């Protein structure tokens, strides 16, 4: 279970425990070292390690002392329709040079026709399971990180159904915009360490093209659609692959990046008043969301200031330094942000993962999409240490230090 300071430390059982106060110590860093954990005594009516017939897996699931987690599979999927900068120049006043110089983006993929975001998510998740050699029925939790579900009440259960998970594992959505995937990774680790889950699918998928004002060249040039997924699997503590994390939010920054709900307006005074002169607020008018509104300069300043601080904090909590990082993998929002953060952290360009030019900003999908391409191309190899960070609307931001494989 991750402790309050952001460490991915050994699990602390939720059942009652007994320890030897004189022998139990906590290190200065806040981590519970595996070699210093005394014997935990579980006091419960069930017999640990023995599950009677007829008891469901959720009832028998117990956290294990020192249990860790690791990333063992990844996958991604994008829509068929490719929109280039030249294509956009026919819709708004812009050019390939204007867009690429300011953002680093040259193409993006956009959902069209009968394509659905959930289908992309299922495809990405299936590829992750295939790489990990894990059957759908072995998955016991699905986390769908998205701000654009195709159902108001969430898309995760539909993904669970489409994958063919016949044991009805828990599936739910996480909404944290472009930080969503990092929050999903940390949530998966907490479920594994504190809840005894074994195989957790973390999916990042978004279709922000549906909420873009395609007449606003300040925002429509940035966003694309896509999905990416990883399988996070339980392992022994000495194989743990999530070393530390750092998560934040700041509601004061919401004014700089949002897509707020808008209610139907009633201008006719006769519609506002009832026959007895009372104000009519019922039935409510149907609501919808506005297009994405963004103050680009403020979001740029926020990212360049907060993201490096967050990564440094996560590294400190992990007991690592920048020289220990094999790869820097940031949310793919703007190449200028990626360059500014890597420069501040003194990480050379050849150790920075970026596929922004081909896909644009795919929100919660950007990190797993870039990771999948890097793994399948052979750049990221088992054992490599990755510093990753997401940042975006909310405002939210967070980072995690992890090992692939």
């Amino acid at each position: 279970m991750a402790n309050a300071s952001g460490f991915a430390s050994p699990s602390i059982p939720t059942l009652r425990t007994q320890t030897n106060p004189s022998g139990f110590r906590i290190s200065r860093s806040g981590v519970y070292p595996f070699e210093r954990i005394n014997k935990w005594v579980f006091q419960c009516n069930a017999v640990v390690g023995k599950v009677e017939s007829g008891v469901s897996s959720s009832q028998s699931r117990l956290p294990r002392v020192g249990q860790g987690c690791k990333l063992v599979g990844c996958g991604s999927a994008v829509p068929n329709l490719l929109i280039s900068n030249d294509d956009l120049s026919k819709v708004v006043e812009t050019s390939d040079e204007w867009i690429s110089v300011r953002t680093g983006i040259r193409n993006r993929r956009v959902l069209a026709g009968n394509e659905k975001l959930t289908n992309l998510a299922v495809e990405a998740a299936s590829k992750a399971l295939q790489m990990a050699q894990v059957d759908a029925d072995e998955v016991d939790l699905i986390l769908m990180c998205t701000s654009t579900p195709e159902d108001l009440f969430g898309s995760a259960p539909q993904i669970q159904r489409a994958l063919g998970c016949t044991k009805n594992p828990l599936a739910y959505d996480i909404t944290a915009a472009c930080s969503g995937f990092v929050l999903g990774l940390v949530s998966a680790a907490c479920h594994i360490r504190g809840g005894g889950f074994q195989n957790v699918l973390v999916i990042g998928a978004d279709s922000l093209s549906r909420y873009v004002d395609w007449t606003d060249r300040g925002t429509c040039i940035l966003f694309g659609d896509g999905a990416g997924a990883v399988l996070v699997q339980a392992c022994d503590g000495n194989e743990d692959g999530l070393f530390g994390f750092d998560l934040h939010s700041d509601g004061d920054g919401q004014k700089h990046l949002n897509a707020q709900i808008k209610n139907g307006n009633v201008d006719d005074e006769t519609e506002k008043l009832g026959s007895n002169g009372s104000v009519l607020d019922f039935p409510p008018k149907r609501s919808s969301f506005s297009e994405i509104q963004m103050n680009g300069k403020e979001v740029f300043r926020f990212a360049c200031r907060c993201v490096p601080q967050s990564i440094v904090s996560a590294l400190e909590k992990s007991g690592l330094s920048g020289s220990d990082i094999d790869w820097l993998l940031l949310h793919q929002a703007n190449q200028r942000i990626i360059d500014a953060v890597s420069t501040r952290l003194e990480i050379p360009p050849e150790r920075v993962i970026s596929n922004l030019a081909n896909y644009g900003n795919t929100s919660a999908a950007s990190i797993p999409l870039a990771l999948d391409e890097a793994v399948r191309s052979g750049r990221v190899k088992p054992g490599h240490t990755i510093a990753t960070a997401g940042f975006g609307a909310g405002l939210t931001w967070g980072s995690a230090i992890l090992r692939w494989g």
Side-chain angles (χ1 to χ4, degrees):
M1 181 186 298
N3 64 30
S5 64
F7 288 96
S9 58
S11 172
I12 301 176
T14 56
L15 302 175
R16 289 182 294 168
T17 63
Q18 293 180 350
T19 63
N20 178 359
S22 63
F24 183 78
R25 294 190 299 164
I26 300 176
S27 69
R28 292 178 60 189
S29 67
V31 178
Y32 294 86
F34 294 113
E35 67 273 13
R36 297 181 183 176
I37 297 179
N38 288 304
K39 181 179 180 181
W40 297 95
V41 181
F42 290 90
Q43 298 177 338
C44 58
N45 294 328
V47 177
V48 178
K50 181 179 180 181
V51 181
E52 298 179 2
S53 61
V55 179
S56 69
S57 60
S58 62
Q59 290 173 313
S60 64
R61 186 184 295 122
L62 288 172
R64 295 189 318 179
V65 177
Q67 182 162 278
C69 63
K70 59 183 179 180
L71 281 64
V72 296
C74 59
S76 62
V78 295
N80 293 320
L81 179 61
L82 185 150
I83 302 295
S84 68
N85 291 344
D86 289 332
D87 293 329
L88 283 179
S89 68
K90 301 173 184 178
V91 179
V92 293
E93 185 179 351
T94 189
S95 67
D96 175 64
E97 181 182 9
W98 192 91
I99 298 172
S100 59
V101 167
R102 287 164 176 77
T103 68
I105 301 170
R106 293 193 176 276
N107 299 295
R108 71 281 297 146
R109 299 297 186 96
V110 175
L111 287 172
N114 295 324
E115 289 182 317
K116 294 184 178 181
L117 183 66
T118 51
N119 292 343
L120 294 182
V122 170
E123 181 180 346
S126 298
K127 291 177 179 178
L129 290 175
Q130 184 179 20
M131 179 184 290
Q133 297 182 337
V134 171
D135 187 77
D137 272 338
E138 297 179 76
V139 174
D140 46 7
L141 177 63
I142 298 172
L143 304 177
M144 172 64 165
C145 308
T146 184
S147 297
T148 56
E150 292 176 328
D151 187 308
L152 176 65
F153 302 115
S155 294
Q158 285 71 50
I159 295 170
Q160 172 242 320
R161 176 179 177 273
L163 285 173
C165 303
T166 61
K167 296 181 180 179
N168 298 323
L170 174 64
Y172 64 89
D173 286 23
I174 294 178
T175 303
C178 303
S179 305
F181 183 75
V182 173
L183 269 66
L185 284 179
V186 174
S187 297
C190 292
H191 277 293
I192 289 173
R193 291 175 177 143
F197 289 79
Q198 296 298 306
N199 292 294
V200 181
L201 264 175
V202 183
I203 305 167
D206 268 309
S207 53
L208 289 179
S209 66
R210 295 168 171 171
Y211 298 92
V212 165
D213 179 358
W214 290 99
T215 66
D216 175 17
R217 74 169 184 172
T219 56
C220 74
I221 63 173
L222 299 174
F223 298 102
D225 304 332
V230 298
L231 184 71
V232 184
Q233 190 172 72
C235 63
D236 291 335
N238 58 3
E239 298 178 346
D240 189 31
L242 178 59
F243 304 135
F245 60 87
D246 181 75
L247 306 174
H248 298 276
S249 63
D250 178 10
D252 287 338
Q254 184 258 1
K255 59 182 176 287
H256 299 311
L257 179 56
N258 61 75
Q260 299 189 62
I261 196 169
K262 56 182 181 181
N263 296 310
N265 295 322
V266 181
D267 297 324
D268 190 344
E269 288 297 326
T270 61
E271 292 187 27
K272 292 182 180 181
L273 301 176
S275 57
N276 60 355
S278 62
V279 177
L280 290 180
D281 290 323
F282 185 83
K285 299 295 180 180
R286 179 175 296 177
S287 298
S288 61
F289 288 95
S290 68
E291 293 85 5
I292 295 172
Q293 307 293 318
M294 184 176 71
N295 183 329
K297 291 182 179 180
E298 289 299 326
V299 172
F300 181 86
R301 293 191 186 107
F302 145 71
C304 293
R305 180 181 71 255
C306 293
V307 173
Q309 293 174 353
S310 180
I311 292 175
V312 169
S313 178
L315 283 169
E316 290 175 349
K317 295 170 182 177
S318 304
L320 301 174
S321 65
S323 61
D324 297 311
I325 297 173
D326 294 301
W327 299 102
L328 176 66
L329 173 53
L330 302 179
H331 162 54
Q332 308 288 291
N334 186 304
Q335 192 61 46
R336 293 168 60 203
I337 294 176
I338 296 173
D339 293 342
V341 173
S342 61
T343 298
R344 185 167 176 180
L345 294 174
E346 299 181 347
I347 297 177
E350 60 269 19
R351 289 165 51 198
V352 178
I353 297 173
S354 175
N355 66 353
L356 176 70
N358 296 324
Y359 302 107
N361 181 344
T362 56
S363 192
S366 75
I367 292 175
L369 176 58
L371 174 64
D372 183 51
E373 287 196 344
V375 169
R376 293 180 186 274
S377 67
R379 296 181 69 196
V380 172
K381 302 181 185 301
H384 279 182
T385 299
I386 303 169
T388 186
F391 51 90
L395 295 170
T396 60
W397 67 101
S399 58
I401 311 301
L402 54 91
R403 178 172 57 213
W404 172 254

